[in-house]
Amino acid sequence: MDSPQTKKSGLNLPAGMNETSLKLDFSGSFRTISNLSSPSSRSSTCSDRFIPCRSSSRLHTFELIEKESPVKEGGNEAYNRLLKSELFGADFVSVSSPAGKGSPMSPSKNMLRFKTDHSPGPNSPYSPSILGHDNGFSSETSTPPKLPRKVPKTPHKVLDAPSLQDDFYLNLVDWSSQNVLAVGLGTCVYLWTASNSKVTKLCDLGPSDSVCSVQWTREGSYISIGTTLGQVQVWDGAQCKRVRTFGGHQTRAGVLAWNSRILSSGSRDRNILQHDLRVSSDFIGKLVGHKSEVCGLKWSHDDRELASGGNDNQLLVWNLHSQQPILKLTEHTAAVKAIAWSPHQSGLLASGGGTADRCIRFWNTANGHQLNSVDTGSQVCNLAWSKNVNELVSTHGYSQNQIMVWKYPSMAKVATLTGHSLRVLYLATSPDGQTIVTGAGDETLRFWNIFPSMKAPAPVKDTSLWSLGRTHIR
């Protein structure tokens, strides 16, 4: 007959240990210990093997929890899940053991540690509502949106330009491909070499005439000058020697444009004349279409089309084979001086209107359709595309006198620059495409680094600290 102690506990206890000193707490789950009271197990001792508790193992962090088995017929799974949620919280329900395999596990203090939050709030920049996980993007592989490029807010150089006219219809500044800046000041034209800041006086037209426009050839060797008397002169920039004088205009020639071989001039007499240095006559063609002064003129990069803007609010497009415009664009409501052809897309033309219009408009010259229109809030004086990136710069007059950099085609503002006290009437771009120079009736020329280089599209370095001193161009 078994002793009372053995019958009561069914365990072989070491000497000095009674049943009250041994307490086993299996709060996480029920486990049965079989055959402990059999005679064959009397010689065995209690094992110290550790049985881990699933509630503290954090297997859900690594997605190792097995999927729940199908609910048996007659089981009350909904009630069990609701009960677990009320007792241990909603997070515990997703990691609890499958039904029918044990009692609910007690929550661990480390349950929420190191867990990736896969359900960010609506204000998170990586929220599925913003990036959309349905499109294959996850919050763990997403990158923050690219920050806008930084553009220095101050000019890195300022030149005094006494007698620089405050006249919307003139074009007195141009930058050659050989890095020489030409500026018309009163009756004179001055050349400023950017590499060494050397200033050279090219010519003086005398007391009876004055400079209305300047334009370099694409090679940068020759410069054309339009005068108040209607002459168009061509000078050798290196030798400071006049090569040719063209007549034909009745009054001032306020705008000039070169293609590879032809020089076009626009005048207050409403005509556009085509000049050729290889021909002895004053002009080889006359384009008649504007009803007021011609103030904007630009050849396309492939030399096939010429765009002209006038004080009659018209933007006309011409080709080499017709004496009549192939396009008449009349959406502007003010004078069209600002004209620029895109170097990135064939047939894309930008134009800007004066004080009553204030809009930059984009055109497809293949079909004459207007692609976009943006109200800038100010008179548009000049436009220029960047050859390095798909952006453009505009200069403005009434009422804010600002310079604006735009990203195309979104027309998002990259930068707004201020500094001139009067209308920013003149604009030219450096040969490397990174710097622009602006001129105004405040008799200053300001140099701005606004575009990245073509090879390294990194943010432009702000060099405004070392050269804010003002120098003179004459």
PDB file of all heavy atoms in Angstrom, residues 56-86:
ATOM      1  N   SER A  56       5.580  35.958 -24.623  1.00  0.00           N
ATOM      2  CA  SER A  56       6.739  36.837 -24.464  1.00  0.00           C
ATOM      3  C   SER A  56       7.787  36.650 -25.550  1.00  0.00           C
ATOM      4  O   SER A  56       8.864  37.223 -25.472  1.00  0.00           O
ATOM      5  CB  SER A  56       7.381  36.586 -23.095  1.00  0.00           C
ATOM      6  OG  SER A  56       7.834  35.250 -23.019  1.00  0.00           O
ATOM      7  N   SER A  57       7.507  35.818 -26.557  1.00  0.00           N
ATOM      8  CA  SER A  57       8.517  35.537 -27.575  1.00  0.00           C
ATOM      9  C   SER A  57       8.527  36.534 -28.712  1.00  0.00           C
ATOM     10  O   SER A  57       9.466  36.563 -29.507  1.00  0.00           O
ATOM     11  CB  SER A  57       8.285  34.128 -28.141  1.00  0.00           C
ATOM     12  OG  SER A  57       7.014  34.082 -28.766  1.00  0.00           O
ATOM     13  N   ARG A  58       7.478  37.362 -28.842  1.00  0.00           N
ATOM     14  CA  ARG A  58       7.395  38.419 -29.861  1.00  0.00           C
ATOM     15  C   ARG A  58       7.519  37.831 -31.274  1.00  0.00           C
ATOM     16  O   ARG A  58       8.147  38.415 -32.159  1.00  0.00           O
ATOM     17  CB  ARG A  58       8.459  39.489 -29.654  1.00  0.00           C
ATOM     18  CG  ARG A  58       8.419  40.139 -28.279  1.00  0.00           C
ATOM     19  CD  ARG A  58       9.216  41.443 -28.277  1.00  0.00           C
ATOM     20  NE  ARG A  58      10.576  41.302 -28.687  1.00  0.00           N
ATOM     21  CZ  ARG A  58      11.576  40.951 -27.893  1.00  0.00           C
ATOM     22  NH1 ARG A  58      11.334  40.691 -26.630  1.00  0.00           N
ATOM     23  NH2 ARG A  58      12.812  40.863 -28.370  1.00  0.00           N
ATOM     24  N   LEU A  59       6.969  36.642 -31.483  1.00  0.00           N
ATOM     25  CA  LEU A  59       7.047  36.038 -32.814  1.00  0.00           C
ATOM     26  C   LEU A  59       6.266  36.846 -33.846  1.00  0.00           C
ATOM     27  O   LEU A  59       6.561  36.794 -35.035  1.00  0.00           O
ATOM     28  CB  LEU A  59       6.505  34.603 -32.771  1.00  0.00           C
ATOM     29  CG  LEU A  59       7.282  33.613 -31.910  1.00  0.00           C
ATOM     30  CD1 LEU A  59       6.625  32.246 -31.968  1.00  0.00           C
ATOM     31  CD2 LEU A  59       8.725  33.537 -32.392  1.00  0.00           C
ATOM     32  N   HIS A  60       5.284  37.625 -33.373  1.00  0.00           N
ATOM     33  CA  HIS A  60       4.489  38.411 -34.316  1.00  0.00           C
ATOM     34  C   HIS A  60       5.312  39.517 -34.958  1.00  0.00           C
ATOM     35  O   HIS A  60       4.995  39.984 -36.055  1.00  0.00           O
ATOM     36  CB  HIS A  60       3.282  39.012 -33.596  1.00  0.00           C
ATOM     37  CG  HIS A  60       3.672  39.922 -32.457  1.00  0.00           C
ATOM     38  ND1 HIS A  60       4.038  39.422 -31.221  1.00  0.00           N
ATOM     39  CD2 HIS A  60       3.793  41.274 -32.383  1.00  0.00           C
ATOM     40  CE1 HIS A  60       4.327  40.437 -30.417  1.00  0.00           C
ATOM     41  NE2 HIS A  60       4.184  41.570 -31.095  1.00  0.00           N
ATOM     42  N   THR A  61       6.411  39.933 -34.280  1.00  0.00           N
ATOM     43  CA  THR A  61       7.258  40.980 -34.864  1.00  0.00           C
ATOM     44  C   THR A  61       7.886  40.500 -36.161  1.00  0.00           C
ATOM     45  O   THR A  61       8.098  41.276 -37.094  1.00  0.00           O
ATOM     46  CB  THR A  61       8.359  41.377 -33.867  1.00  0.00           C
ATOM     47  OG1 THR A  61       7.743  41.796 -32.647  1.00  0.00           O
ATOM     48  CG2 THR A  61       9.217  42.520 -34.433  1.00  0.00           C
ATOM     49  N   PHE A  62       8.207  39.216 -36.234  1.00  0.00           N
ATOM     50  CA  PHE A  62       8.871  38.664 -37.410  1.00  0.00           C
ATOM     51  C   PHE A  62       7.898  37.859 -38.276  1.00  0.00           C
ATOM     52  O   PHE A  62       8.329  37.124 -39.159  1.00  0.00           O
ATOM     53  CB  PHE A  62      10.036  37.777 -36.977  1.00  0.00           C
ATOM     54  CG  PHE A  62      10.985  38.473 -36.057  1.00  0.00           C
ATOM     55  CD1 PHE A  62      10.883  38.302 -34.680  1.00  0.00           C
ATOM     56  CD2 PHE A  62      11.939  39.329 -36.557  1.00  0.00           C
ATOM     57  CE1 PHE A  62      11.744  38.962 -33.832  1.00  0.00           C
ATOM     58  CE2 PHE A  62      12.819  39.979 -35.710  1.00  0.00           C
ATOM     59  CZ  PHE A  62      12.712  39.792 -34.334  1.00  0.00           C
ATOM     60  N   GLU A  63       6.597  38.025 -38.006  1.00  0.00           N
ATOM     61  CA  GLU A  63       5.563  37.392 -38.797  1.00  0.00           C
ATOM     62  C   GLU A  63       5.731  35.866 -38.823  1.00  0.00           C
ATOM     63  O   GLU A  63       5.615  35.216 -39.867  1.00  0.00           O
ATOM     64  CB  GLU A  63       5.550  37.945 -40.223  1.00  0.00           C
ATOM     65  CG  GLU A  63       5.292  39.437 -40.272  1.00  0.00           C
ATOM     66  CD  GLU A  63       5.248  39.951 -41.701  1.00  0.00           C
ATOM     67  OE1 GLU A  63       5.495  39.145 -42.616  1.00  0.00           O
ATOM     68  OE2 GLU A  63       4.946  41.139 -41.888  1.00  0.00           O
ATOM     69  N   LEU A  64       6.022  35.285 -37.626  1.00  0.00           N
ATOM     70  CA  LEU A  64       6.203  33.839 -37.509  1.00  0.00           C
ATOM     71  C   LEU A  64       4.987  33.132 -36.908  1.00  0.00           C
ATOM     72  O   LEU A  64       4.999  31.919 -36.746  1.00  0.00           O
ATOM     73  CB  LEU A  64       7.445  33.526 -36.663  1.00  0.00           C
ATOM     74  CG  LEU A  64       8.776  34.025 -37.256  1.00  0.00           C
ATOM     75  CD1 LEU A  64       9.914  33.700 -36.296  1.00  0.00           C
ATOM     76  CD2 LEU A  64       9.036  33.386 -38.613  1.00  0.00           C
ATOM     77  N   ILE A  65       3.972  33.923 -36.541  1.00  0.00           N
ATOM     78  CA  ILE A  65       2.785  33.305 -35.959  1.00  0.00           C
ATOM     79  C   ILE A  65       2.027  32.560 -37.057  1.00  0.00           C
ATOM     80  O   ILE A  65       1.799  33.094 -38.147  1.00  0.00           O
ATOM     81  CB  ILE A  65       1.880  34.375 -35.328  1.00  0.00           C
ATOM     82  CG1 ILE A  65       2.610  35.033 -34.141  1.00  0.00           C
ATOM     83  CG2 ILE A  65       0.555  33.778 -34.871  1.00  0.00           C
ATOM     84  CD1 ILE A  65       2.873  34.084 -33.011  1.00  0.00           C
ATOM     85  N   GLU A  66       1.658  31.345 -36.786  1.00  0.00           N
ATOM     86  CA  GLU A  66       0.929  30.573 -37.765  1.00  0.00           C
ATOM     87  C   GLU A  66      -0.474  31.128 -37.935  1.00  0.00           C
ATOM     88  O   GLU A  66      -1.042  31.726 -37.027  1.00  0.00           O
ATOM     89  CB  GLU A  66       0.846  29.110 -37.322  1.00  0.00           C
ATOM     90  CG  GLU A  66       2.203  28.423 -37.236  1.00  0.00           C
ATOM     91  CD  GLU A  66       2.047  26.991 -36.789  1.00  0.00           C
ATOM     92  OE1 GLU A  66       0.895  26.579 -36.534  1.00  0.00           O
ATOM     93  OE2 GLU A  66       3.070  26.291 -36.702  1.00  0.00           O
ATOM     94  N   LYS A  67      -1.001  30.946 -39.145  1.00  0.00           N
ATOM     95  CA  LYS A  67      -2.359  31.380 -39.404  1.00  0.00           C
ATOM     96  C   LYS A  67      -3.334  30.501 -38.632  1.00  0.00           C
ATOM     97  O   LYS A  67      -3.105  29.311 -38.413  1.00  0.00           O
ATOM     98  CB  LYS A  67      -2.658  31.300 -40.898  1.00  0.00           C
ATOM     99  CG  LYS A  67      -1.821  32.260 -41.722  1.00  0.00           C
ATOM    100  CD  LYS A  67      -2.197  32.175 -43.188  1.00  0.00           C
ATOM    101  CE  LYS A  67      -1.369  33.143 -44.004  1.00  0.00           C
ATOM    102  NZ  LYS A  67      -1.713  33.071 -45.446  1.00  0.00           N
ATOM    103  N   GLU A  68      -4.454  31.091 -38.262  1.00  0.00           N
ATOM    104  CA  GLU A  68      -5.442  30.351 -37.501  1.00  0.00           C
ATOM    105  C   GLU A  68      -6.073  29.260 -38.359  1.00  0.00           C
ATOM    106  O   GLU A  68      -6.292  29.449 -39.563  1.00  0.00           O
ATOM    107  CB  GLU A  68      -6.527  31.296 -36.991  1.00  0.00           C
ATOM    108  CG  GLU A  68      -5.997  32.323 -35.994  1.00  0.00           C
ATOM    109  CD  GLU A  68      -7.125  33.157 -35.422  1.00  0.00           C
ATOM    110  OE1 GLU A  68      -8.291  32.870 -35.784  1.00  0.00           O
ATOM    111  OE2 GLU A  68      -6.860  34.062 -34.630  1.00  0.00           O
ATOM    112  N   SER A  69      -6.316  28.127 -37.710  1.00  0.00           N
ATOM    113  CA  SER A  69      -6.984  27.042 -38.419  1.00  0.00           C
ATOM    114  C   SER A  69      -8.462  27.368 -38.561  1.00  0.00           C
ATOM    115  O   SER A  69      -9.009  28.175 -37.805  1.00  0.00           O
ATOM    116  CB  SER A  69      -6.805  25.730 -37.639  1.00  0.00           C
ATOM    117  OG  SER A  69      -7.341  25.879 -36.331  1.00  0.00           O
ATOM    118  N   PRO A  70      -9.099  26.748 -39.527  1.00  0.00           N
ATOM    119  CA  PRO A  70     -10.534  27.013 -39.706  1.00  0.00           C
ATOM    120  C   PRO A  70     -11.317  26.699 -38.437  1.00  0.00           C
ATOM    121  O   PRO A  70     -11.032  25.760 -37.699  1.00  0.00           O
ATOM    122  CB  PRO A  70     -10.921  26.075 -40.854  1.00  0.00           C
ATOM    123  CG  PRO A  70      -9.640  25.804 -41.577  1.00  0.00           C
ATOM    124  CD  PRO A  70      -8.567  25.822 -40.538  1.00  0.00           C
ATOM    125  N   VAL A  71     -12.347  27.494 -38.163  1.00  0.00           N
ATOM    126  CA  VAL A  71     -13.146  27.331 -36.952  1.00  0.00           C
ATOM    127  C   VAL A  71     -14.010  26.077 -37.084  1.00  0.00           C
ATOM    128  O   VAL A  71     -14.653  25.859 -38.112  1.00  0.00           O
ATOM    129  CB  VAL A  71     -14.045  28.570 -36.736  1.00  0.00           C
ATOM    130  CG1 VAL A  71     -14.885  28.398 -35.470  1.00  0.00           C
ATOM    131  CG2 VAL A  71     -13.173  29.807 -36.660  1.00  0.00           C
ATOM    132  N   LYS A  72     -13.958  25.260 -36.034  1.00  0.00           N
ATOM    133  CA  LYS A  72     -14.764  24.047 -36.055  1.00  0.00           C
ATOM    134  C   LYS A  72     -16.243  24.396 -35.966  1.00  0.00           C
ATOM    135  O   LYS A  72     -16.629  25.406 -35.398  1.00  0.00           O
ATOM    136  CB  LYS A  72     -14.374  23.136 -34.886  1.00  0.00           C
ATOM    137  CG  LYS A  72     -12.954  22.608 -34.998  1.00  0.00           C
ATOM    138  CD  LYS A  72     -12.650  21.682 -33.846  1.00  0.00           C
ATOM    139  CE  LYS A  72     -11.238  21.123 -33.958  1.00  0.00           C
ATOM    140  NZ  LYS A  72     -10.920  20.213 -32.837  1.00  0.00           N
ATOM    141  N   GLU A  73     -17.017  23.505 -36.532  1.00  0.00           N
ATOM    142  CA  GLU A  73     -18.457  23.729 -36.534  1.00  0.00           C
ATOM    143  C   GLU A  73     -18.960  23.756 -35.110  1.00  0.00           C
ATOM    144  O   GLU A  73     -18.643  22.881 -34.301  1.00  0.00           O
ATOM    145  CB  GLU A  73     -19.137  22.606 -37.334  1.00  0.00           C
ATOM    146  CG  GLU A  73     -20.639  22.815 -37.451  1.00  0.00           C
ATOM    147  CD  GLU A  73     -21.272  21.747 -38.310  1.00  0.00           C
ATOM    148  OE1 GLU A  73     -20.525  20.914 -38.865  1.00  0.00           O
ATOM    149  OE2 GLU A  73     -22.505  21.740 -38.429  1.00  0.00           O
ATOM    150  N   GLY A  74     -19.718  24.750 -34.793  1.00  0.00           N
ATOM    151  CA  GLY A  74     -20.269  24.879 -33.455  1.00  0.00           C
ATOM    152  C   GLY A  74     -19.418  25.727 -32.541  1.00  0.00           C
ATOM    153  O   GLY A  74     -19.839  26.039 -31.431  1.00  0.00           O
ATOM    154  N   GLY A  75     -18.185  26.097 -32.953  1.00  0.00           N
ATOM    155  CA  GLY A  75     -17.333  26.904 -32.111  1.00  0.00           C
ATOM    156  C   GLY A  75     -17.777  28.361 -32.096  1.00  0.00           C
ATOM    157  O   GLY A  75     -18.281  28.877 -33.087  1.00  0.00           O
ATOM    158  N   ASN A  76     -17.542  29.002 -30.974  1.00  0.00           N
ATOM    159  CA  ASN A  76     -17.961  30.406 -30.830  1.00  0.00           C
ATOM    160  C   ASN A  76     -16.722  31.290 -30.930  1.00  0.00           C
ATOM    161  O   ASN A  76     -16.263  31.851 -29.946  1.00  0.00           O
ATOM    162  CB  ASN A  76     -18.688  30.584 -29.503  1.00  0.00           C
ATOM    163  CG  ASN A  76     -19.469  31.900 -29.468  1.00  0.00           C
ATOM    164  OD1 ASN A  76     -19.314  32.727 -30.362  1.00  0.00           O
ATOM    165  ND2 ASN A  76     -20.280  32.062 -28.438  1.00  0.00           N
ATOM    166  N   GLU A  77     -16.135  31.371 -32.148  1.00  0.00           N
ATOM    167  CA  GLU A  77     -14.890  32.126 -32.343  1.00  0.00           C
ATOM    168  C   GLU A  77     -15.112  33.618 -32.124  1.00  0.00           C
ATOM    169  O   GLU A  77     -14.265  34.314 -31.571  1.00  0.00           O
ATOM    170  CB  GLU A  77     -14.352  31.863 -33.747  1.00  0.00           C
ATOM    171  CG  GLU A  77     -13.081  32.634 -34.100  1.00  0.00           C
ATOM    172  CD  GLU A  77     -11.904  32.218 -33.254  1.00  0.00           C
ATOM    173  OE1 GLU A  77     -11.983  31.129 -32.632  1.00  0.00           O
ATOM    174  OE2 GLU A  77     -10.912  32.975 -33.186  1.00  0.00           O
ATOM    175  N   ALA A  78     -16.227  34.138 -32.590  1.00  0.00           N
ATOM    176  CA  ALA A  78     -16.483  35.578 -32.452  1.00  0.00           C
ATOM    177  C   ALA A  78     -16.525  35.981 -30.988  1.00  0.00           C
ATOM    178  O   ALA A  78     -16.004  37.029 -30.590  1.00  0.00           O
ATOM    179  CB  ALA A  78     -17.788  35.938 -33.151  1.00  0.00           C
ATOM    180  N   TYR A  79     -17.150  35.146 -30.165  1.00  0.00           N
ATOM    181  CA  TYR A  79     -17.234  35.454 -28.739  1.00  0.00           C
ATOM    182  C   TYR A  79     -15.849  35.431 -28.096  1.00  0.00           C
ATOM    183  O   TYR A  79     -15.508  36.297 -27.283  1.00  0.00           O
ATOM    184  CB  TYR A  79     -18.149  34.448 -28.047  1.00  0.00           C
ATOM    185  CG  TYR A  79     -18.174  34.594 -26.538  1.00  0.00           C
ATOM    186  CD1 TYR A  79     -18.903  35.613 -25.929  1.00  0.00           C
ATOM    187  CD2 TYR A  79     -17.445  33.715 -25.736  1.00  0.00           C
ATOM    188  CE1 TYR A  79     -18.892  35.756 -24.558  1.00  0.00           C
ATOM    189  CE2 TYR A  79     -17.442  33.855 -24.359  1.00  0.00           C
ATOM    190  CZ  TYR A  79     -18.171  34.881 -23.768  1.00  0.00           C
ATOM    191  OH  TYR A  79     -18.161  35.031 -22.413  1.00  0.00           O
ATOM    192  N   ASN A  80     -15.020  34.419 -28.480  1.00  0.00           N
ATOM    193  CA  ASN A  80     -13.678  34.333 -27.911  1.00  0.00           C
ATOM    194  C   ASN A  80     -12.832  35.552 -28.267  1.00  0.00           C
ATOM    195  O   ASN A  80     -12.090  36.078 -27.438  1.00  0.00           O
ATOM    196  CB  ASN A  80     -12.989  33.060 -28.403  1.00  0.00           C
ATOM    197  CG  ASN A  80     -13.605  31.808 -27.799  1.00  0.00           C
ATOM    198  OD1 ASN A  80     -14.198  31.875 -26.719  1.00  0.00           O
ATOM    199  ND2 ASN A  80     -13.482  30.677 -28.493  1.00  0.00           N
ATOM    200  N   ARG A  81     -12.910  35.977 -29.521  1.00  0.00           N
ATOM    201  CA  ARG A  81     -12.121  37.136 -29.931  1.00  0.00           C
ATOM    202  C   ARG A  81     -12.581  38.400 -29.214  1.00  0.00           C
ATOM    203  O   ARG A  81     -11.774  39.239 -28.811  1.00  0.00           O
ATOM    204  CB  ARG A  81     -12.230  37.325 -31.447  1.00  0.00           C
ATOM    205  CG  ARG A  81     -11.537  36.234 -32.246  1.00  0.00           C
ATOM    206  CD  ARG A  81     -11.710  36.456 -33.734  1.00  0.00           C
ATOM    207  NE  ARG A  81     -11.097  37.715 -34.155  1.00  0.00           N
ATOM    208  CZ  ARG A  81      -9.805  37.840 -34.459  1.00  0.00           C
ATOM    209  NH1 ARG A  81      -8.999  36.783 -34.394  1.00  0.00           N
ATOM    210  NH2 ARG A  81      -9.332  39.016 -34.834  1.00  0.00           N
ATOM    211  N   LEU A  82     -13.873  38.563 -29.046  1.00  0.00           N
ATOM    212  CA  LEU A  82     -14.398  39.723 -28.334  1.00  0.00           C
ATOM    213  C   LEU A  82     -13.959  39.715 -26.885  1.00  0.00           C
ATOM    214  O   LEU A  82     -13.571  40.751 -26.317  1.00  0.00           O
ATOM    215  CB  LEU A  82     -15.922  39.733 -28.442  1.00  0.00           C
ATOM    216  CG  LEU A  82     -16.634  40.893 -27.716  1.00  0.00           C
ATOM    217  CD1 LEU A  82     -16.196  42.224 -28.299  1.00  0.00           C
ATOM    218  CD2 LEU A  82     -18.145  40.738 -27.829  1.00  0.00           C
ATOM    219  N   LEU A  83     -13.974  38.537 -26.276  1.00  0.00           N
ATOM    220  CA  LEU A  83     -13.563  38.417 -24.884  1.00  0.00           C
ATOM    221  C   LEU A  83     -12.082  38.750 -24.719  1.00  0.00           C
ATOM    222  O   LEU A  83     -11.689  39.465 -23.795  1.00  0.00           O
ATOM    223  CB  LEU A  83     -13.859  36.999 -24.379  1.00  0.00           C
ATOM    224  CG  LEU A  83     -13.488  36.707 -22.919  1.00  0.00           C
ATOM    225  CD1 LEU A  83     -14.276  37.624 -21.978  1.00  0.00           C
ATOM    226  CD2 LEU A  83     -13.749  35.243 -22.574  1.00  0.00           C
ATOM    227  N   LYS A  84     -11.250  38.228 -25.624  1.00  0.00           N
ATOM    228  CA  LYS A  84      -9.818  38.531 -25.558  1.00  0.00           C
ATOM    229  C   LYS A  84      -9.562  40.032 -25.740  1.00  0.00           C
ATOM    230  O   LYS A  84      -8.691  40.611 -25.098  1.00  0.00           O
ATOM    231  CB  LYS A  84      -9.070  37.755 -26.634  1.00  0.00           C
ATOM    232  CG  LYS A  84      -9.077  36.254 -26.433  1.00  0.00           C
ATOM    233  CD  LYS A  84      -8.432  35.556 -27.628  1.00  0.00           C
ATOM    234  CE  LYS A  84      -8.528  34.042 -27.494  1.00  0.00           C
ATOM    235  NZ  LYS A  84      -7.982  33.347 -28.669  1.00  0.00           N
ATOM    236  N   SER A  85     -10.330  40.632 -26.636  1.00  0.00           N
ATOM    237  CA  SER A  85     -10.145  42.067 -26.877  1.00  0.00           C
ATOM    238  C   SER A  85     -10.499  42.885 -25.651  1.00  0.00           C
ATOM    239  O   SER A  85      -9.824  43.855 -25.312  1.00  0.00           O
ATOM    240  CB  SER A  85     -10.999  42.491 -28.077  1.00  0.00           C
ATOM    241  OG  SER A  85     -10.930  43.888 -28.267  1.00  0.00           O
ATOM    242  N   GLU A  86     -11.551  42.499 -24.964  1.00  0.00           N
ATOM    243  CA  GLU A  86     -11.954  43.239 -23.768  1.00  0.00           C
ATOM    244  C   GLU A  86     -10.981  43.039 -22.620  1.00  0.00           C
ATOM    245  O   GLU A  86     -10.715  43.952 -21.845  1.00  0.00           O
ATOM    246  CB  GLU A  86     -13.366  42.798 -23.345  1.00  0.00           C
ATOM    247  CG  GLU A  86     -14.459  43.216 -24.316  1.00  0.00           C
ATOM    248  CD  GLU A  86     -14.611  44.722 -24.385  1.00  0.00           C
ATOM    249  OE1 GLU A  86     -14.369  45.383 -23.358  1.00  0.00           O
ATOM    250  OE2 GLU A  86     -14.958  45.236 -25.467  1.00  0.00           O
TER     251      GLU A  86
END
